[in-house]
Amino acid sequence: MNRSGSSRSLRKAIAHLNQQQPAQLLAAECPSRAVLGHITSRWGVLVLVVLLDGTHRFSQLRRAIGGVSEKMLAQTLDALAYDGLVLRVAQQVVPPHVEYSLTPLGQEAATRLEVLVDWIEDNFPQIRAAQEAAEQQAA
């Protein structure tokens, strides 16, 4: 390839990078909303927080997260891996198994979510009292 062709390719690549817009979650068409949904779904939050303890196999995650079906856990792990938050490693052993762990990005997200999970657990008696008051008022 000649020098001008190489420069043109580089300029084209730089122009493409400059065209990428930052995420705007409030914009209806922003693709970052899908990531928000993956992270903040009930199962997404719980998977990320459980993985803060370290690497887990699928069955360990399923036992740790009460009520999650195999299908929902698999879909959640796939979405979080697609977003770069969870690392999926298939071990070459007999029988084969897969391990899941947090990426650095996932670690950052999970640490932030852990604060929210702890807040909910700490304040649940007050939340439940407010729910019961609302139910009585509606009756």
Side-chain angles (χ1 to χ4, degrees):
M1 179 183 284
N2 67 28
R3 192 173 185 165
S4 67
S6 176
S7 296
R8 196 171 331 129
S9 297
L10 181 59
R11 285 194 309 272
K12 187 176 180 180
I14 291 171
H16 176 71
L17 288 174
N18 289 336
Q19 290 174 354
Q20 293 180 353
Q21 298 291 324
Q24 297 178 358
L25 284 169
L26 296 179
E29 68 282 350
C30 187
S32 64
R33 281 194 178 184
V35 177
L36 177 67
H38 299 157
I39 292 173
T40 61
S41 71
R42 171 181 19 178
W43 306 124
V45 168
L46 297 176
V47 164
L48 290 169
V49 170
V50 167
L51 287 175
L52 275 171
D53 292 336
T55 301
H56 287 69
R57 290 174 62 178
F58 186 90
S59 58
Q60 292 172 313
L61 286 169
R62 184 138 187 256
R63 281 191 300 272
I65 303 169
V68 67
S69 68
E70 283 188 27
K71 178 181 177 182
M72 284 308 303
L73 182 56
Q75 287 177 351
T76 300
L77 287 165
D78 287 346
L80 294 172
Y82 178 78
D83 293 337
L85 303 172
V86 169
L87 179 64
R88 180 187 187 276
V89 177
Q91 298 295 325
Q92 300 300 319
V93 295
V94 176
H97 67 267
V98 179
E99 294 180 338
Y100 297 91
S101 59
L102 295 173
T103 65
L105 196 60
Q107 180 79 31
E108 184 179 346
T111 300
R112 292 170 187 241
L113 289 170
E114 184 180 38
V115 173
L116 177 60
V117 168
D118 290 345
W119 181 88
I120 292 169
E121 288 178 341
D122 292 345
N123 291 285
F124 191 72
Q126 294 167 272
I127 295 167
R128 187 63 196 136
Q131 291 171 339
E132 288 171 355
E135 288 170 4
Q136 287 177 357
Q137 203 171 35

